[in-house]
């Protein structure tokens, strides 16, 4: 393992390993069958390097396994942010980064030639002018430097007004501390906080699902396509059968579950002529499908706006992310649950119904008895939520009888599992 | 705009701090800096590069290293970071932090930047209704006072109406402000002295606070919130058995990912998952476990098992026998 490197060049391969370690936390060397044991060893060693304080090693009967012991209740940061800070670089990259940015801190404009000369005179560092120019151009593209042409001469400069202003305004730093924990692309906020030496020590987030930061590169590409109102081709790896397929679609909105942290792309498939959702963690690659001319672009934009409007109408009949039931039917079903709430002691249950019931209607039908009714595309999606009222459900009916049947069958199974009998 | 770029690398951060020092440092001090901020094996990569001059960022004076940088290094914001900041300006919670004039100033500085996302790009489809009133002045004032107290280690005097309508009035140590994504609400993780040098954790909804007053008295910053939380966990964790059917394993692993847990395989297709929790999490955890129905089996602890059985017992009691019988599907 003498060639072991802590840093990596590409993110997607590592993403899979971390996800498996994080989510499952029980896979041993023998479970990783897709790659060679050597690859597994290197990936595991890297993961142990990056996430050392959170790695737990256990000895199982079929070999030792490692997992990540992460309790979001106890943390002021997402340990998996560290994974984003592992990009490899060359010796020139790091030296030029510090020297060029240090040189340009004064705000003066300089040509690539002047920068190259100053690197030698001020810092005793000799660089080829082409390398310096390439780095300056790359940093202009990243937004770190400004580029300005005067005739044939190109000048580079650095404007640090924003960074200085933020550093001087503690309220903004506090906001960054909060948003890195609580909002999408927390990794960007986290890196910014670190850069400005203001780590989060004030905020915790309940219901924080750290693993989903691993999908942020995919999310970035999807948001870019959504801004441009353009179609994309997705490469998708099946969650269950692991087969890889591609799908062309128009990305419309990101659906987020606050209960599991899972994120989905809601898109329109022209081929199937319907809305559909893809789990972000199943999307491996996003390729933008480019429009050929401007008339096509404006046509696409008009279609995009029509689809968004149609989606907003459909959303009122959506419980979660499914636009069809188990049998592939696209029309809605109606579910009715009658529930016992002993007032006033159990008023919190009524509050739960109101807060969590989304588009459903609540009616009091008798003292201590309420009816919850909802019309939705896929009533199967309601079952996990319905089950949370176990102990209070007087009756459940659904126009999709398979849902009703599943509910009562599951209940019977649970009675047997826990040996619950009538008393 | 690259999310995975070396300009955000951990090594760059480590070097930035070392290079920002104006005094000459020994290799031992450099090693300490790397150990504090770097990854586990970063030293093995960084030290040889500094020693052999491949990273010509330090001048050498015998065994001492002196930064070649001429001033305190402040990295400008990248396009991605500006775009992120611009997106935050559309968030309703930003008003809890920024004064209107600060917001205007930031908007002005980012006027030609495209936000990384807009609120309408996202739909939080299962978020609870009834989020906190972020625009309310009293709420904002309470939030700011609590944040100030938390940062300055100050005690606060809080007058609070509990969910059952009981009015309580106490002095608290504001340990952290906790945000719930599911509820879209802020709570205060507050520590309260219970006598004999002991602390108890209380969780107070900010929207239920009637008044918040800063007290002159400060507390020792080393008050360990995590120790209090850990001590509050039941000694016996919740023990679940999961049979991997209908993708239950992955669903459960993701669903309970925000708890400290330990999972191991105990059979061909069966897994055991231990989840650590305390009394304040108990009802929520019970509800979450119930949502899985028969896909997971609670095998311990006894208390949790008892709570689950009681719910099932009650369900059996209130559901008429004829309804409990599974209705046949029409052929």
């Amino acid at each position: 393992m003498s060639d072991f490197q802590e840093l990596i060049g590409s993110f997607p391969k590592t993403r899979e390993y971390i996800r498996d370690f994080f989510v499952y936390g029980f896979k041993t060397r023998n479970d990783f069958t897709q790659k060679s044991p050597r690859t597994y060893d290197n990936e595991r060693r890297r993961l142990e390097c990056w996430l050392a304080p959170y790695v737990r090693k256990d000895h199982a009967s079929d070999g030792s396994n490692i997992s990540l012991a992460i309790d979001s209740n106890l943390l002021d940061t997402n340990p998996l942010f560290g994974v984003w800070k592992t990009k490899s670089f060359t010796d020139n990259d790091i030296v030029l980064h510090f020297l060029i940015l240090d040189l340009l801190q004064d705000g003066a404009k300089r040509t690539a030639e002047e920068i190259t000369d100053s690197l030698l005179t001020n810092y005793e560092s000799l660089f080829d002018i082409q390398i310096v120019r390439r780095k300056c151009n790359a940093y202009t593209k990243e937004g770190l430097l400004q580029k300005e042409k005067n005739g044939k001469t190109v000048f580079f400069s650095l404007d640090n007004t924003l960074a200085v202003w933020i550093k001087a305004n503690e309220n903004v730093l506090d906001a960054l501390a909060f948003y890195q924990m609580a909002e999408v692309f927390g990794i960007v906020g986290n890196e910014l906080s670190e850069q400005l030496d203001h780590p989060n020590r004030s905020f915790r987030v309940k219901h924080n699902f750290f693993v989903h930061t691993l999908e942020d590169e995919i999310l970035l590409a999807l948001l870019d396509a959504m801004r441009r109102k353009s179609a994309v081709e997705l490469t998708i790896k099946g969650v269950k059968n692991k087969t890889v397929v591609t799908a062309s679609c128009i990305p419309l909105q990101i659906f987020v579950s606050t209960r599991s942290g899972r994120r989905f792309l809601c898109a329109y498939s022209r081929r199937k002529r319907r809305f559909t959702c893809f789990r972000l963690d199943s999307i491996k690659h996003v390729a933008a499908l480019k429009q050929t001319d401007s008339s096509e672009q404006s046509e696409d934009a008009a279609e995009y706006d029509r689809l968004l409007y149609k989606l907003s109408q459909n959303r009122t009949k959506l419980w979660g992310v499914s636009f069809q039931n188990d049998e592939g039917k696209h029309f809605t079903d109606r579910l009715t649950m009658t529930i016992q709430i002993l007032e006033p002691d159990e008023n919190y249950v009524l509050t739960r119904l109101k807060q969590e019931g989304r588009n459903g209607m609540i009616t009091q039908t008798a003292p201590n008895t309420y009816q919850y009714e909802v019309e939705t595309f896929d009533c199967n999606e309601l079952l996990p939520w319905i089950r949370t009222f176990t102990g209070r459900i007087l009756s459940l009916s659904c126009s999709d009888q398979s849902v009703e049947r599943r509910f009562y069958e599951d209940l019977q199974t649970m009675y047997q599992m826990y040996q619950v009998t009538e008393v | 705009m690259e999310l995975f770029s070396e300009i955000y690398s951990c090594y760059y951060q480590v070097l930035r701090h070392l290079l920002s020092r104006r005094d000459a440092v020994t290799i031992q001090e450099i090693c300490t800096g790397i150990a504090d901020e770097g990854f586990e094996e970063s030293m093995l990569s960084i030290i040889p590069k500094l020693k052999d001059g491949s990273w010509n960022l330090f001048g050498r004076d015998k065994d001492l290293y002196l930064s070649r940088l001429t001033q305190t290094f402040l990295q400008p914001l990248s396009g991605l970071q500006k775009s992120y900041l611009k997106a935050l300006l559309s968030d309703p919670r930003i008003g809890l932090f920024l004064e209107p004039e600060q917001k205007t100033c930031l908007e002005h500085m980012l006027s030609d930047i495209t936000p990384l996302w807009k609120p309408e790009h996202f739909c939080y489809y299962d978020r609870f209704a009834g989020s906190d009133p972020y625009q309310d002045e009293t709420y904002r004032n309470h939030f700011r006072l609590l944040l100030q107290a938390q940062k300055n280690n100050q005690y606060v005097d809080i007058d609070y109406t509990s969910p059952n309508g009981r009015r309580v009035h106490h002095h608290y140590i504001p340990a952290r402000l906790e945000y719930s994504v599911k509820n879209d609400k802020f709570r205060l993780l507050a520590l309260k002295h219970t006598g004999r040098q002991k602390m108890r954790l209380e969780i107070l909804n900010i929207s239920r606070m009637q008044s918040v007053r800063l007290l002159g008295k400060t507390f020792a910053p080393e008050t360990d919130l995590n120790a209090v939380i850990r001590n509050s966990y039941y000694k016996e964790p919740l023990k679940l058995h999961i049979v991997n059917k209908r993708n239950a394993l992955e669903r459960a692993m993701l669903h309970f990912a925000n708890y400290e847990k330990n999972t191991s395989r105990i059979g061909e297709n069966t897994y055991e998952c231990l989840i650590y929790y305390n009394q304040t999490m108990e009802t929520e955890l019970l509800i979450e476990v119930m949502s899985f129905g028969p896909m997971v089996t609670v095998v311990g602890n006894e208390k949790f098992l008892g709570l689950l059985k009681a719910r099932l017992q009650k369900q059996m009691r209130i559901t008429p026998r004829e309804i409990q019988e599974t209705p046949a599907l029409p052929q």
Side-chain angles (χ1 to χ4, degrees), chain A residues 260-291:
Chain A
S260 67
R262 264 190 197 169
R263 300 186 289 190
F264 300 81
L265 167 68
C266 178
Y268 182 77
S269 165
R270 280 185 180 134
R271 192 172 63 81
K272 294 179 181 168
R273 296 172 65 186
R274 64 177 171 86
F275 296 113
T276 186
C277 284
F278 303 95
R279 270 172 61 173
L280 248 54
D281 59 356
S282 72
I283 302 174
K284 301 301 156 200
H285 183 67
V286 180
L289 297 174
K290 286 190 180 117
Q291 302 99 333

Side-chain angles (χ1 to χ4, degrees), chain A residues 6 19 23-26 31 45 49 52 56 70-74 76 85-87 91 93-94 97-98 102 105 123-125 139 142-144 160 162 165-166 169-171 174 178-179 183 185 188-189 191 194-195 197 201-209 216 220 227 239 253-259 262 279 352 355-356 358 384 387-388 391-393 401 405 408 412 414-415 417-418 420-422, chain B residues 3-4 7-8 10-12 16-17 39-42 49 54-56 68-71 74-79 81-82 84-85 91 93-94 97 102 106 109 115-116 120-126 128-129 150-151 176-180 182 186-187 226 230 233 250 253-255 258 260-263 271 281 284 287 290-291 293 297-298 308-309 311-316 318 321 323-324 326 329-330:
Chain A
E6 211 176 31
R19 194 175 176 280
V23 174
Y24 295 102
F26 51 78
D31 294 318
R45 186 169 162 193
C49 284
R56 181 169 53 205
I70 293 177
D71 180 350
S72 67
N73 293 304
L74 304 178
D76 294 337
K85 300 167 189 171
T86 60
K87 177 84 193 288
D91 293 345
D93 282 333
I94 190 164
H97 174 82
F98 284 105
D102 186 59
Q105 291 277 332
Y123 304 98
E124 300 171 27
S125 287
Y139 274 19
E142 283 292 345
L144 297 175
N160 235 346
L162 182 58
W165 185 84
I166 295 174
N169 282 275
E170 205 172 326
N171 294 355
D174 289 339
F178 165 66
Y179 282 111
E183 194 44 90
F185 292 114
V188 184
E191 285 162 351
E194 263 187 11
Q195 210 170 297
D197 297 317
R201 290 199 187 92
S202 299
F203 298 98
R204 293 266 164 99
V205 171
K206 197 175 164 70
H207 313 120
N208 210 346
F209 297 90
D216 279 353
L220 191 67
R227 263 193 309 272
V239 176
Q253 201 171 33
I254 305 296
F255 286 2
V256 186
S257 166
T258 61
R259 294 175 195 218
R262 264 190 197 169
R279 270 172 61 173
R352 267 198 66 203
Q355 284 183 336
E356 302 172 29
R358 301 181 216 178
R387 286 193 202 107
T388 67
R392 306 179 193 283
I393 303 167
Q401 289 196 359
R405 189 181 62 164
Y408 283 109
Q412 291 298 332
M414 287 183 78
Y415 291 154
M417 276 166 62
Y418 297 103
V420 176
T421 50
E422 278 184 84
Chain B
L3 203 55
F4 189 54
I7 60 172
Y8 311 117
C10 164
Y11 285 22
Y12 278 35
R16 180 176 68 83
H17 280 133
F39 298 132
E40 190 98 314
E41 297 190 29
S42 301
K49 296 285 186 186
S54 304
W55 296 357
N56 185 22
R68 288 195 190 281
L69 301 194
T70 56
Q71 53 222 306
L74 184 60
Q75 187 169 312
L77 270 68
S78 66
Q81 291 171 330
K82 288 177 201 166
Y84 171 81
L85 273 180
D91 187 273
R93 293 162 296 185
I94 197 74
F97 299 94
Q102 286 178 311
L106 198 50
M109 283 192 277
L116 201 53
E120 59 265 30
H121 285 142
F122 290 89
C123 167
Y124 294 83
Y125 61 85
D126 57 2
F128 294 1
Q150 190 275 337
K151 284 162 62 181
R176 288 288 186 282
L177 278 83
E178 183 191 66
Y179 176 72
S180 162
K182 190 159 80 177
F186 280 96
R187 303 178 179 109
N226 285 356
R230 276 209 175 93
Y233 285 172
E250 196 197 63
M253 291 298 100
L254 279 175
H255 201 94
N258 59 327
E260 181 162 353
K261 62 179 173 41
N262 195 356
T263 313
Y271 301 84
M281 304 166 171
E284 191 170 5
I287 283 174
M290 286 197 302
S291 76
T297 311
V298 176
L308 179 63
K309 280 183 174 176
R311 295 272 182 136
L312 287 167
Q313 195 81 59
K314 198 173 160 200
Q315 182 60 50
M316 186 177 254
I318 63 171
R321 185 180 284 274
I323 292 183
Q324 282 184 32
T326 307
L329 269 183

Side-chain angles (χ1 to χ4, degrees), chain A residues 21 25-27 44 47-48 55-57 64-67:
Chain A
F21 280 126
F26 51 78
K27 290 199 173 181
R44 196 182 82 159
L47 195 133
E48 288 178 275
V55 172
R56 181 169 53 205
K57 291 181 190 175
S64 71
N65 67 344
I66 68 163
S67 59

Side-chain angles (χ1 to χ4, degrees), chain B residues 223-237:
Chain B
T223 304
D224 191 348
L225 170 66
N226 285 356
V228 179
I229 295 177
R230 276 209 175 93
N231 283 339
S232 71
Y233 285 172
Y234 289 120
K235 283 195 177 62
E236 269 195 71

Side-chain angles (χ1 to χ4, degrees), chain A residues 225-391:
Chain A
M226 282 155 65
R227 263 193 309 272
R228 289 184 289 104
K229 301 185 176 182
S230 70
V232 290
E233 185 178 81
L234 308 175
T235 306
I236 298 161
K237 191 171 175 185
V239 176
K240 288 178 200 164
N241 53 18
K242 307 288 178 200
T243 52
V244 177
V245 293
T246 57
S248 297
C249 60
I250 301 170
L252 296 169
Q253 201 171 33
I254 305 296
F255 286 2
V256 186
S257 166
T258 61
R259 294 175 195 218
S260 67
R262 264 190 197 169
R263 300 186 289 190
F264 300 81
L265 167 68
C266 178
Y268 182 77
S269 165
R270 280 185 180 134
R271 192 172 63 81
K272 294 179 181 168
R273 296 172 65 186
R274 64 177 171 86
F275 296 113
T276 186
C277 284
F278 303 95
R279 270 172 61 173
L280 248 54
D281 59 356
S282 72
I283 302 174
K284 301 301 156 200
H285 183 67
V286 180
L289 297 174
K290 286 190 180 117
Q291 302 99 333
T292 47
D293 56 39
S294 59
S295 68
E296 209 171 292
Q297 266 179 35
S298 59
E299 218 172 89
D300 282 356
E303 186 200 4
Y304 194 91
D305 292 340
R306 272 197 304 276
L307 288 171
L308 270 182
Y309 176 69
K310 213 171 155 192
L311 175 62
S312 71
Q313 288 180 315
N314 273 277
R315 233 181 9 229
T316 58
K317 298 281 187 288
L318 203 59
W319 178 261
V321 296
S322 172
F323 289 89
Q324 59 179 344
N325 69 7
D326 275 357
E327 290 159 8
K329 291 185 291 191
H330 295 286
F331 50 82
T332 56
D333 279 301
R334 183 166 287 276
L335 179 141
T336 307
M337 169 172 70
T338 310
I339 150 170
Q340 183 187 66
I341 300 172
L342 303 176
E343 295 166 296
D345 292 354
E346 294 183 347
N347 276 352
Y348 59 91
V349 182
L350 185 59
T351 307
R352 267 198 66 203
L353 268 185
K354 287 176 183 167
Q355 284 183 336
E356 302 172 29
R358 301 181 216 178
N359 301 315
M361 277 250 303
I362 302 161
T363 322
Q364 181 159 22
T365 54
N368 301 324
T369 307
Y370 286 81
Q371 182 176 286
Y372 172 84
E373 200 173 8
V374 70
E375 189 189 338
T376 186
F377 287 118
D378 186 357
C379 289
N380 274 300
E381 287 193 304
L382 271 126
L383 282 180
W385 182 66
I386 296 286
R387 286 193 202 107
T388 67
F389 293 97
T390 301

Side-chain angles (χ1 to χ4, degrees), chain B residues 129-196:
Chain B
S131 58
D132 272 0
Y134 300 124
Q135 311 300 329
D136 181 80
E137 261 321 300
T138 309
Y139 181 91
R140 283 186 181 189
N141 285 338
H142 288 171
F143 181 90
R144 286 173 187 169
L145 282 172
L146 292 169
L147 181 56
Q148 187 188 337
Q150 190 275 337
K151 284 162 62 181
N152 298 331
N153 307 321
Q154 272 177 285
Y155 278 85
V156 279
D157 177 340
I158 297 173
D159 184 358
Y160 184 78
T161 307
S162 69
N164 57 19
R166 206 160 47 90
R167 195 87 176 250
V168 283
H169 194 171
H170 283 293
H171 290 183
Y172 294 98
I173 290 177
R176 288 288 186 282
L177 278 83
E178 183 191 66
Y179 176 72
S180 162
V181 181
K182 190 159 80 177
N183 301 88
D184 192 19
K185 282 179 186 296
F186 280 96
R187 303 178 179 109
L188 179 72
L189 302 184
L191 297 177
K192 199 169 98 177
H193 289 286
T194 56
R196 292 185 199 163

